[in-house]
Amino acid sequence: MSNDPAVVIGIDYGTLSGRAVVVSVADGAELGTAVHEYRHGVVDRRLPATDAPLGPDWALQIPQDWRDVLRYAVPQALANAGVSPGQVIGIGTDFTACTVLPTTVDGTPLCELEDLQDRPHAYPKLWRHHAAQPQADRINALAAELGEDWLPRYGGKISSEWEYAKALQVLEEDPEVYERAQRWIEAADWIVWELCGRETRNLCTAGYKGIHQDGKRPSPEYLAKLNPGFAGFTEKLEHPLSAMGTVAGGLTARAAAWTGLPEGTPVAIGNVDAHVTNVAAQAVAPGQMLAVMGTSTCHVMNSDVLAEVPGMCGVVANGVTPGLWGYEAGQSGVGDIFAWFVGCGLPEDYYAQATSRGLSPHELLTEKAATQKVGQHGLVALDWQSGNRSVLVDHNLSGVLIGSTLATAPEDIYRALMEATAFGTRTIVEDFEKSGVTVSELVIAGGMLRNPFLLQIYADVTRRPLSTIGSEQGPALGSAIHAAVAAGAYPDVYSASKAMGKINKNVYLPDEERARSYDALYEIYTELHDHFGRGGSNALHTLRGIRNAAAS
């Protein structure tokens, strides 16, 4: 038997790329990593197989891009780590959610069938596919009318991003594709199917994205009232659910050839990218809210209290870690909003300044914004460029900026957008607190860790200490930790998190003077939030309708 130290591999499937990380089982040290960019990225304008345009708010992906992560990123990560495949005792994966796809009974994506390659609904719908908002509205209205007992577990509304709304859109817009979809499956479970050759379903995505509560899903009678053809939809989902950290199966010969790993290597049950990060950040105790901040933000926390929190994305027993209630909330746009603003174009001299100093436009705008006092720009924004996930659960909302003048500079708007995302997080935190779920600490993970100024804004706005994950690869490290548990190296995720996770405590502390100034801006944010989001004005919905009509 080899005396080489044991390692596990975590694979994080993001919006634009997949990342593989080789991790020491003993202490969580990250030995090597590799990234594979999806060749097709986000398909939101037209299908690769046709020139036919997609409608507004569509976002699809290509399954082969996900397989290619296994073929390229895993072998490269092993090479970069300098370890042999025989040292790998387990592999774990996580995925964006709800990213969901229709397949045949053996797991073949419908978009890979020759006669369906020109049908948009045959493709996986990415988490940020928001074109099912009308279906989500009907699901929510009927559930509220009938008093469905699962609705309060999702804060009173389910999202257009989730499994049922997206499936109902398929049924109503392409009934043939719906009928041919023998399985409707989260990408988190589909990639595990590709790895181990057998279908599994994880408890996490089923609970948070698939309306699975207390051992059941919405009844056929309820579904039939939405659409008679929808009555049997749950049959496309039904499968025994497995807890996170358990074994899905062993690597097949085909997957072993892709990855360069030994056939039979244990594969952990799939998981959601944000939820798997809690163990990586050692954010497993009640009161620790993990904010995974990237293109969007997902807020995940454990509690020993069950509460109905308006606008939350869900509360699931054992949904994040065993023995506790796992809560989720989120913001649909954070890094995406900053990228959108820069992508709209800056004055030429800004690009020249950035280039001459070796900075990105984001770094230059952050530097300029950081010289201002709180409120100096005279602006307040709403962070709804990609709709609102929590607490309004309305993806037909859009961004708002007030206070601009002819003297407003790009860095003013950029800072206002940063602050808007922080105000959005404060709104979520206060929602939890009002419902009796204590939030004592924010733990930050994700790409926004690279912007200390933004994180200080969050500490000041929320009036809470910010701890940070001690890894740049939070989801992948979390998946590796789950792989270690599945392989039997640790008895549970708590002990594995303690040994392999990483946290830097209280890195950012709130400043009282800045916090008081932000309180005044937050009052304006809340006024706008409630006016445009809670029925004071229908202007944003009307504008969305005008846009959609013009684009059709």
Side-chain angles (χ1 to χ4, degrees):
M1 179 177 291
S2 171
N3 291 321
D4 293 331
V7 300
V8 283
I9 295 178
I11 305 174
D12 170 38
Y13 282 92
T15 301
L16 297 172
S17 64
R19 180 183 306 273
V21 178
V22 180
V23 178
S24 165
V25 171
D27 58 7
E30 295 163 25
L31 307 176
T33 185
V35 178
H36 178 74
E37 302 287 338
Y38 302 150
R39 184 163 72 90
H40 300 94
V42 177
V43 178
D44 55 6
R45 297 191 181 275
R46 59 189 69 245
L47 294 180
T50 177
D51 288 333
L54 298 174
D57 302 314
W58 276 66
L60 308 177
Q61 291 205 301
I62 307 299
Q64 187 58 44
D65 289 344
W66 305 335
R67 293 189 189 99
D68 286 345
V69 174
L70 303 176
R71 296 173 59 212
Y72 298 113
V74 172
Q76 187 60 55
L78 282 169
N80 292 343
V83 303
S84 68
Q87 293 175 244
V88 179
I89 65 168
I91 185 169
T93 60
D94 65 82
F95 231 104
T96 60
C98 170
T99 296
V100 66
L101 65 154
T103 77
T104 63
V105 71
D106 66 358
T108 302
L110 293 194
C111 62
E112 295 183 350
L113 301 179
E114 187 173 353
D115 65 324
L116 294 181
Q117 291 181 6
D118 62 347
R119 307 278 277 275
H121 282 297
Y123 286 76
K125 288 179 168 57
L126 182 63
W127 64 269
R128 71 183 189 198
H129 175 93
H130 293 148
Q133 187 64 50
Q135 286 77 17
D137 291 342
R138 286 166 44 215
I139 289 171
N140 290 325
L142 181 62
E145 177 187 337
L146 299 178
E148 293 291 318
D149 58 7
W150 47 262
L151 192 61
R153 294 281 181 93
Y154 299 98
K157 288 184 179 181
I158 69 104
S159 170
S160 67
E161 296 180 0
W162 297 353
E163 292 177 9
Y164 278 75
K166 286 175 172 173
L168 184 56
Q169 184 194 13
V170 177
L171 168 64
E172 296 180 338
E173 296 182 7
D174 195 335
E176 181 187 353
V177 167
Y178 177 84
E179 288 302 321
R180 291 178 64 178
Q182 295 166 298
R183 308 301 287 154
W184 184 248
I185 187 167
E186 289 277 350
D189 294 320
W190 181 83
I191 199 65
V192 171
W193 198 344
E194 289 289 285
L195 284 166
C196 67
R198 58 187 294 263
E199 181 180 4
T200 57
R201 301 276 177 150
N202 74 84
L203 175 67
C204 185
T205 51
Y208 291 104
K209 313 302 178 184
I211 317 184
H212 184 274
Q213 292 284 346
D214 299 327
K216 61 183 186 297
R217 299 182 190 263
S219 69
E221 294 76 19
Y222 164 79
L223 297 177
K225 290 179 180 179
L226 290 168
N227 186 310
F230 206 46
F233 167 67
T234 298
E235 296 173 8
K236 301 177 188 290
L237 301 173
E238 284 296 358
H239 193 279
L241 301 181
S242 299
M244 284 66 67
T246 56
V247 180
L251 214 58
T252 65
R254 183 179 70 153
W258 288 340
T259 59
L261 297 174
E263 185 177 351
T265 300
V267 178
I269 286 293
N271 211 322
V272 180
D273 51 1
H275 301 64
V276 79
T277 306
N278 280 68
V279 295
Q282 295 183 348
V284 293
Q288 291 180 293
M289 177 176 279
L290 175 72
V292 184
M293 297 175 59
T295 55
S296 62
T297 292
C298 192
H299 304 80
V300 185
M301 67 178 294
N302 291 300
S303 178
D304 51 8
V305 174
L306 173 61
E308 296 174 0
V309 182
M312 67 180 174
C313 296
V315 54
V316 177
N318 309 307
V320 180
T321 52
L324 293 171
W325 292 97
Y327 288 86
E328 178 192 344
Q331 293 166 266
S332 294
V334 178
D336 268 356
I337 296 176
F338 311 147
W340 159 78
F341 178 70
V342 170
C344 286
L346 300 172
E348 287 298 325
D349 65 306
Y350 278 66
Y351 293 110
Q353 289 179 53
T355 300
S356 68
R357 298 178 54 203
L359 301 176
S360 72
H362 292 280
E363 290 169 330
L364 179 67
L365 288 170
T366 298
E367 181 182 280
K368 288 177 177 290
T371 65
Q372 301 177 358
K373 294 180 180 178
V374 176
Q376 182 178 327
H377 50 47
L379 304 171
V380 170
L382 294 178
D383 51 318
W384 298 346
Q385 279 76 4
S386 193
N388 181 281
R389 183 181 298 163
S390 298
V391 298
L392 300 172
V393 198
D394 187 347
H395 292 289
N396 279 331
L397 294 172
S398 50
V400 173
L401 177 73
I402 67 167
S404 60
T405 70
L406 295 178
T408 299
E411 58 267 27
D412 300 335
I413 299 175
Y414 195 78
R415 176 165 180 154
L417 293 172
M418 286 178 147
E419 292 166 346
T421 68
F423 294 148
T425 287
R426 176 167 169 176
T427 302
I428 291 168
V429 169
E430 290 186 353
D431 207 38
F432 274 85
E433 294 266 329
K434 289 174 185 176
S435 301
V437 183
T438 300
V439 181
S440 57
E441 175 188 13
L442 289 175
V443 183
I444 308 299
M448 293 299 111
L449 283 171
R450 293 188 287 269
N451 194 320
F453 175 64
L454 175 67
L455 299 189
Q456 186 60 55
I457 289 175
Y458 272 63
D460 295 337
V461 165
T462 63
R463 290 179 171 270
R464 279 168 176 76
L466 264 62
S467 301
T468 63
I469 189 173
S471 168
E472 294 183 0
Q473 322 295 347
L477 175 58
S479 289
I481 290 172
H482 279 78
V485 177
Y490 292 95
D492 52 48
V493 295
Y494 292 103
S495 57
S497 173
K498 184 177 180 181
M500 299 175 67
K502 301 177 177 67
I503 187 172
N504 305 308
K505 297 290 287 186
N506 300 335
V507 177
Y508 300 91
L509 300 175
D511 175 86
E512 180 59 30
E513 181 179 352
R514 290 194 298 267
R516 282 197 303 269
S517 298
Y518 275 127
D519 285 344
L521 293 180
Y522 180 65
E523 286 186 19
I524 300 171
Y525 174 92
T526 301
E527 179 183 346
L528 295 171
H529 175 282
D530 292 349
H531 178 70
F532 286 109
R534 299 191 189 275
S537 169
N538 288 321
L540 300 184
H541 292 98
T542 301
L543 285 171
R544 178 61 63 95
I546 292 171
R547 185 205 70 172
N548 290 352
S552 63

